[in-house]
Amino acid sequence: MAPVIGVTATLKEDVDAVAERPLGRYVRADLDYLEGVVEAGGVPVVLPPVADSGAAETIAGGLDGLLLSGGSDLHPGYYGEDPIPELNVTIPERDAFEMELMEHALRRGIPVLGICRGMQVLNVALGGTLYQDLSSQMEGIVLLGHRQETPKWQPTHEVEVDGGSQVSEIMGSRELKVNSYHHQAVKDLASGLVTVAHSPDGVAEAVEYRDLSERWILGVQWHAEAMRGSSPEHRKLFSAHVEAAERHALRRAAA
Ligand code: MN
């Protein structure tokens, strides 16, 4: 059986541009994540961020893997800070759902891949903090363009990956060219996590979990899902996640 990978979705408010009236709120999942999972041999299920408390536990019970997708800022209250003026829009339902889901995913040892916001969510869920806004809070360096305006499939900055890391093993390279669509980033790393890739200006671009358990948790700051066509090596992240989910499903079946 192919492993079931839960992919988090977002909420969007649609507006009728002509009549300028709200059309309602919709659950939206970027097809690129879902196709990335399918290509890797997994079965994606979209997880709507509308669940009541308690549902996240049931949902986690049905997953072999969890993919935390990109999106809006995580509310800084989850790491004990008040919002600064440079914070962008947050979606309370999504933040609450993903943080609860992470708690149950961690408890169950479900392999987690975090992409962009997803890497930030997993760091906070494990006890870390974020830069609410890189350009106003990360001092002393010249920031690269982490918020590109070119198409999403185009790389915009380089990333240096630590040798011996899972990310270098998965990608088969220590030098990557990646896209960049973020104004937040990992600040204080959660215990258990290791930063394994940096952009030349020192921003954390990938993290992975290392402890004595075989827990598979990996986050990348770039949108790997959008680079699958232009730079196929980024598909390997999805493959590694699906393989970890397969191993987890086998362990679960044997238990
Ligand atoms: Mn970047």
Side-chain angles (χ1 to χ4, degrees):
M1 289 267 280
V4 175
I5 310 293
V7 181
T8 57
T10 194
L11 296 174
K12 278 277 175 188
E13 182 105 43
D14 269 11
V15 177
D16 182 325
V18 179
E20 289 184 2
R21 62 183 171 86
L23 291 171
R25 296 178 88 201
Y26 294 82
V27 172
R28 201 166 88 174
D30 189 328
L31 199 56
D32 275 335
Y33 297 107
L34 308 176
E35 288 178 344
V37 170
V38 170
E39 282 164 7
V43 175
V45 290
V46 175
L47 308 179
V50 290
D52 288 337
S53 185
E57 185 173 6
T58 307
I59 289 168
L63 300 180
D64 301 313
L66 173 63
L67 197 166
L68 296 170
S69 64
S72 49
D73 289 359
L74 178 67
H75 195 281
Y78 287 100
Y79 47 96
E81 290 183 15
D82 291 326
I84 63 169
E86 290 81 5
L87 185 77
N88 290 348
V89 163
T90 60
I91 304 173
E93 299 95 325
R94 183 176 185 187
D95 290 352
F97 175 66
E98 291 188 356
M99 290 300 283
E100 196 182 337
L101 193 60
M102 262 306 281
E103 192 186 314
H104 296 292
L106 291 171
R107 199 169 292 160
R108 289 174 172 272
I110 295 171
V112 181
L113 173 62
I115 292 184
C116 200
R117 164 195 162 95
M119 160 166 153
Q120 297 162 8
V121 168
L122 71 83
N123 181 52
V124 173
L126 286 162
T129 70
L130 306 178
Y131 289 107
Q132 292 187 42
D133 178 62
L134 266 180
S135 55
S136 55
Q137 291 187 311
M138 193 167 171
E139 290 162 17
I141 52 161
V142 181
L143 284 166
L144 293 169
H146 287 281
R147 231 176 176 182
Q148 73 188 61
E149 293 183 3
T150 47
K152 219 168 178 178
W153 54 266
Q154 285 182 0
T156 189
H157 69 66
E158 295 187 346
V159 160
E160 194 176 319
V161 187
D162 291 0
S165 64
Q166 282 188 74
V167 173
S168 70
E169 197 176 309
I170 291 166
M171 299 298 290
S173 174
R174 291 192 51 199
E175 280 166 23
L176 308 175
K177 285 188 174 9
V178 302
N179 59 11
S180 201
Y181 276 91
H182 58 110
H183 83 113
Q184 298 200 307
V186 165
K187 188 178 168 191
D188 300 311
L189 206 57
S191 80
L193 281 182
V194 183
T195 303
V196 294
H198 291 91
S199 52
D201 56 5
V203 173
E205 290 277 343
V207 295
E208 56 191 48
Y209 197 76
R210 281 189 205 159
D211 73 349
L212 297 175
S213 71
E214 286 184 27
R215 179 170 286 178
W216 195 99
I217 301 174
L218 197 147
V220 295
Q221 188 56 64
W222 64 90
H223 280 276
E225 82 287 357
M227 300 191 76
R228 294 169 12 260
S230 57
S231 314
E233 64 271 22
H234 292 275
R235 298 180 184 204
K236 294 176 185 171
L237 289 165
F238 290 85
S239 300
H241 183 221
V242 167
E243 282 163 21
E246 272 167 357
R247 291 194 298 275
H248 176 70
L250 287 173
R251 275 198 302 274
R252 207 159 59 122

